[in-house]
PDB file of all heavy atoms in Angstrom:
ATOM      1  N   GLU V  76     100.937  58.799 119.121  1.00 98.00           N
ATOM      2  CA  GLU V  76     100.973  60.080 118.455  1.00 98.00           C
ATOM      3  C   GLU V  76     100.384  61.149 119.329  1.00 98.00           C
ATOM      4  O   GLU V  76      99.239  61.039 119.794  1.00 98.00           O
ATOM      5  CB  GLU V  76     100.191  60.030 117.119  1.00 98.00           C
ATOM      6  CG  GLU V  76     100.233  61.350 116.404  1.00 98.00           C
ATOM      7  CD  GLU V  76      99.560  61.319 115.017  1.00 98.00           C
ATOM      8  OE1 GLU V  76      99.238  60.193 114.547  1.00 98.00           O
ATOM      9  OE2 GLU V  76      99.346  62.429 114.471  1.00 98.00           O
ATOM     10  N   LEU V  78      98.780  64.741 119.454  1.00 98.00           N
ATOM     11  CA  LEU V  78      98.156  65.630 118.551  1.00 98.00           C
ATOM     12  C   LEU V  78      98.297  67.084 119.079  1.00 98.00           C
ATOM     13  O   LEU V  78      97.720  67.444 120.107  1.00 98.00           O
ATOM     14  CB  LEU V  78      96.652  65.296 118.420  1.00 98.00           C
ATOM     15  CG  LEU V  78      96.355  63.916 117.900  1.00 98.00           C
ATOM     16  CD1 LEU V  78      94.852  63.633 118.054  1.00 98.00           C
ATOM     17  CD2 LEU V  78      96.819  63.730 116.463  1.00 98.00           C
ATOM     18  N   GLY V 111     103.445  63.197 114.844  1.00 97.00           N
ATOM     19  CA  GLY V 111     103.045  62.327 113.748  1.00 97.00           C
ATOM     20  C   GLY V 111     102.360  63.167 112.663  1.00 97.00           C
ATOM     21  O   GLY V 111     101.999  64.318 112.834  1.00 97.00           O
ATOM     22  N   VAL V 112     102.272  62.553 111.449  1.00 98.00           N
ATOM     23  CA  VAL V 112     101.615  63.250 110.382  1.00 98.00           C
ATOM     24  C   VAL V 112     100.140  63.423 110.725  1.00 98.00           C
ATOM     25  O   VAL V 112      99.548  62.513 111.314  1.00 98.00           O
ATOM     26  CB  VAL V 112     101.864  62.479 109.049  1.00 98.00           C
ATOM     27  CG1 VAL V 112     101.161  61.157 109.082  1.00 98.00           C
ATOM     28  CG2 VAL V 112     101.395  63.345 107.896  1.00 98.00           C
ATOM     29  N   GLU V 113      99.604  64.616 110.409  1.00 98.00           N
ATOM     30  CA  GLU V 113      98.210  64.861 110.744  1.00 98.00           C
ATOM     31  C   GLU V 113      97.642  65.864 109.776  1.00 98.00           C
ATOM     32  O   GLU V 113      98.331  66.764 109.265  1.00 98.00           O
ATOM     33  CB  GLU V 113      98.169  65.443 112.192  1.00 98.00           C
ATOM     34  CG  GLU V 113      96.799  65.743 112.776  1.00 98.00           C
ATOM     35  CD  GLU V 113      95.896  64.545 112.896  1.00 98.00           C
ATOM     36  OE1 GLU V 113      96.413  63.366 112.967  1.00 98.00           O
ATOM     37  OE2 GLU V 113      94.668  64.699 112.946  1.00 98.00           O
ATOM     38  N   ASN V 114      96.334  65.724 109.538  1.00 98.00           N
ATOM     39  CA  ASN V 114      95.588  66.728 108.772  1.00 98.00           C
ATOM     40  C   ASN V 114      94.933  67.672 109.730  1.00 98.00           C
ATOM     41  O   ASN V 114      94.496  67.280 110.813  1.00 98.00           O
ATOM     42  CB  ASN V 114      94.546  66.084 107.887  1.00 98.00           C
ATOM     43  CG  ASN V 114      95.176  65.222 106.793  1.00 98.00           C
ATOM     44  OD1 ASN V 114      95.519  64.055 107.051  1.00 98.00           O
ATOM     45  ND2 ASN V 114      95.362  65.780 105.632  1.00 98.00           N
ATOM     46  N   THR V 195      92.019  64.045 113.383  1.00 98.00           N
ATOM     47  CA  THR V 195      91.821  62.842 114.138  1.00 98.00           C
ATOM     48  C   THR V 195      90.965  63.095 115.358  1.00 98.00           C
ATOM     49  O   THR V 195      90.112  62.249 115.750  1.00 98.00           O
ATOM     50  CB  THR V 195      93.195  62.257 114.588  1.00 98.00           C
ATOM     51  OG1 THR V 195      93.942  61.935 113.458  1.00 98.00           O
ATOM     52  CG2 THR V 195      93.026  61.022 115.515  1.00 98.00           C
ATOM     53  N   GLN V 207      94.482  55.173 116.525  1.00 97.00           N
ATOM     54  CA  GLN V 207      94.411  56.126 115.413  1.00 97.00           C
ATOM     55  C   GLN V 207      95.666  56.931 115.278  1.00 97.00           C
ATOM     56  O   GLN V 207      95.767  57.889 114.436  1.00 97.00           O
ATOM     57  CB  GLN V 207      93.205  57.068 115.630  1.00 97.00           C
ATOM     58  CG  GLN V 207      91.857  56.350 115.518  1.00 97.00           C
ATOM     59  CD  GLN V 207      90.712  57.303 115.563  1.00 97.00           C
ATOM     60  OE1 GLN V 207      90.674  58.314 114.897  1.00 97.00           O
ATOM     61  NE2 GLN V 207      89.698  56.985 116.383  1.00 97.00           N
ATOM     62  N   GLY V 208      96.711  56.608 116.041  1.00 97.00           N
ATOM     63  CA  GLY V 208      97.988  57.338 115.881  1.00 97.00           C
ATOM     64  C   GLY V 208      98.768  56.787 114.706  1.00 97.00           C
ATOM     65  O   GLY V 208      98.551  55.654 114.225  1.00 97.00           O
ATOM     66  N   GLU V 209      99.686  57.621 114.183  1.00 97.00           N
ATOM     67  CA  GLU V 209     100.569  57.170 113.122  1.00 97.00           C
ATOM     68  C   GLU V 209     101.379  55.988 113.592  1.00 97.00           C
ATOM     69  O   GLU V 209     101.888  55.984 114.724  1.00 97.00           O
ATOM     70  CB  GLU V 209     101.511  58.363 112.743  1.00 97.00           C
ATOM     71  CG  GLU V 209     102.482  57.904 111.665  1.00 97.00           C
ATOM     72  CD  GLU V 209     103.507  58.995 111.346  1.00 97.00           C
ATOM     73  OE1 GLU V 209     103.370  60.135 111.804  1.00 97.00           O
ATOM     74  OE2 GLU V 209     104.517  58.689 110.649  1.00 97.00           O
TER      75      GLU V 209
HETATM   76 CA1   CA U   1      97.967  61.699 112.819  1.00 71.38          CA
END
Side-chain angles (χ1 to χ4, degrees):
E76 178 176 349
L78 301 172
V112 65
E113 181 65 20
N114 293 84
T195 298
Q207 293 187 47
E209 179 187 347

